[in-house]
Amino acid sequence: MDLNHIKGIGEKTVSYLHNASIYSVEDLLRFYPYRYQILSPSLLEETSLEEVVTINVIVSQVPQVSYIKRNLNALRFVCESNGKRIRVTIFNRAFLKRNLVVGKKISLTGKYNAKSNTFTANDIKFSWLDDAKIIPVYHSIKGIRPITLEKLIDEVLQNNLQLEDTLPLELKEKYRLISISDALLKIHKPKSKEDVKQARRRIIYEELFEFMFKIQYLKQLKHESVGQTKHFDQKKLDCFIESLPFSLTNDQRKAVDDGLKDLESSRCMNRLLLGDVGSGKTIVATILLYANALAGYQTAFLAPTEILAEQHFRSIRGLLADSSLEIDLMVGSLSKKEKENILERCQSGQIDVLIGTHALLNENLFFNRLGFIITDEQHRFGVNQRDKLKSKAVAPDMLFMSATPIPRTYALTIYGDMDTSIIKEKPKGRKDIITKVVKEKDLREVLLKVLEEIKLGHQVYVVAPMIEESEESTLKNVELLREKFDLAYHGKIPMGVLHGKMKKDQKEEVMHDFKIGKSKILISTTVVEVGVDVSLATVMIIFNADRFGLATLHQLRGRVGRSDLQSYCYLICNEDKERLHVLEESNDGFYISEKDFEFRGEGDLFGVKQSGDMSFSLADIRRDYDILMVAKEDAEEYVVKKMYSGSQHFKEIIEKIDFTN
Ligand code: ADP
Ligand code: MG
């Protein structure tokens, strides 16, 4: 039902609600309180100076109003509370004066100062507060006062809206869940804690069930889909693996085997390659795309940023230099002519491997025989983006790579519809990165270490503080840091600066200078967050480290320690944050992600961007893990038995599924 149907709602309010993604009456009802305040009357003698309390009193003297300033008035009166007379002050409520007649029972909310025997109220209600009252507290919506929001919700609830219950009946009965109408009433207007509990139980289960339904549905669909069987020259492939400058770790070998089996099988590959930063995923992908090429198919390799695309391009081309493969790079900043050239050669099948950013999604880009799609840092791409690429091929094999460490149990849930290969083992000779949390005032210690390392011919990354994600101020921070470092080293150390607003060639030049060691310190925003590979870099300094989740910090730290040199990471912050010490203790991404989860909940699970599919209103997959598991089983049965057919609601859910996930 449209918001305009709510009695007394205005245009403006509607548009503010729209801004908060509330488009219908149902959306409004599903804007749940995020916590509850439990109000119960206090006794005056039990209150302390700081505490906000509510007390029941009787007015015993007519109020006086005094006007203090133009926008400030005070209403003062005397009350009796349990036989004790106290003085009450409330500001800017002169209009209440005539309601406050002697003998009236009212309740006051505010703070009591026993010394002066005054109660400074911030709210007055014209009745006594009886027993405990549960008051919902909502996140604020820009432009809408909390009281207005409550009124709107009240209005809707009073109209006794009959919502269709979307949860299958047998599941509701199985867990004795209350109906959705009941749940919505109880979540907004609970009469007891039990009401809140029942309502939450119902809504959380529903959220998780629908979430798992989508995953199970996808899984089912993928099991049914048939792809190409790819035949490749195993000897040539073995030769290639032999020729690598290092031998694969066991985990890498296993991942390669998994992937090759997928390519050979008639089922489509739908595999997640999960491995910590620096664990060597790129080489696994390279071997697989080589096999794909040997079988006569093209590969598209999608990376989230230009820098990364370029790096993959360079390293893959380097690794496959002796092959006859045609490998190209497609990024937004290419000239029109360069792009056209790529479009042409891609369509004709001349290009075997096309690496690129979202520029690969170009509508005019066609492949001749696209058989394999690799997506790096897959969670960074939007739903439609991946969809588009997939549509350029017929039943392609899909490999997703992620360095975002996710606790394994959760990974299996979230990526429940994919096969998974995990690289845990680091390449031989890698040393743990020595990590230290340092207060900003002790920066000197870090600056000295930097000097020491630079004298050894090593290099340093500096990540500038990120301020409220505003590019302007982050830019300023990068410049400020450069000045600071220049001052500290008397301008004697060559430095590069990298940020999101730079032109492609500028970025390229800065990166290049750093890669070849022309500059020794690279100061940047989090642009360098993923994947950049400079093996002589041994120090990573992260400012305002407390602003990042542990998983993100761990990823940033992974820019160093990519050779057998001892590396260091300094986490600079103003106050000591307990959680940062987890990084001092451990270099294990999975362990760190477990800890991150403990400290921050699922919010930061995916690092920078959160996948839309994963945002629940009430459910928290960590806290509600048991419910999630039950919902998973239920959803599986529901999907396998195709019990959803005939339900309009589930039809709608299916329509909204991101099929590239
Ligand atoms: P990821 O993409 O997983 O973060 P990369 O694939 O970029 O990691 O690999 C990091 C570095 O380790 C690269 O320089 C790569 O050449 C090197 N490397 C990969 N596998 C091995 C291995 N088995 N032994 C030694 N070095 C390796
Ligand atoms: Mg990588």
Side-chain angles (χ1 to χ4, degrees), residues 226-230 262-267 297 371 394-397:
V226 178
Q228 281 103 351
T229 315
K230 289 173 182 154
D262 292 342
L263 289 175
E264 283 174 318
S265 115
S266 64
R267 265 187 52 202
Y297 290 90
V394 181
D397 285 306

Side-chain angles (χ1 to χ4, degrees), residues 246-249 252 276-282 427 430 533 562:
F246 43 76
S247 54
L248 298 180
T249 63
Q252 282 174 320
D276 228 334
V277 266
S279 60
K281 295 182 295 295
T282 314
R430 293 286 162 82
D533 200 14
R562 297 171 84 84

Side-chain angles (χ1 to χ4, degrees), residues 281-282 308 312 376-377 401 531 562:
K281 295 182 295 295
T282 314
L308 269 182
H312 282 312
D376 193 14
E377 295 299 327
M401 307 205 288
R562 297 171 84 84

Side-chain angles (χ1 to χ4, degrees), residues 417-463:
D417 62 319
M418 297 191 199
D419 299 312
T420 322
S421 298
I422 298 179
I423 308 183
K424 274 212 86 170
E425 191 184 0
K426 289 246 164 80
K428 265 206 200 84
R430 293 286 162 82
K431 296 187 180 70
D432 277 353
I433 300 162
I434 297 174
T435 301
K436 212 171 159 197
V437 179
V438 179
K439 295 229 176 90
E440 191 150 7
K441 65 177 171 52
D442 301 325
L443 196 62
R444 202 183 134 76
E445 162 196 346
V446 179
L447 293 173
L448 288 174
K449 181 71 191 172
V450 164
L451 205 56
E452 228 173 80
E453 286 293 307
I454 288 177
K455 277 186 186 149
L456 291 170
H458 301 163
Q459 289 165 282
V460 178
Y461 285 107
V462 179
V463 174

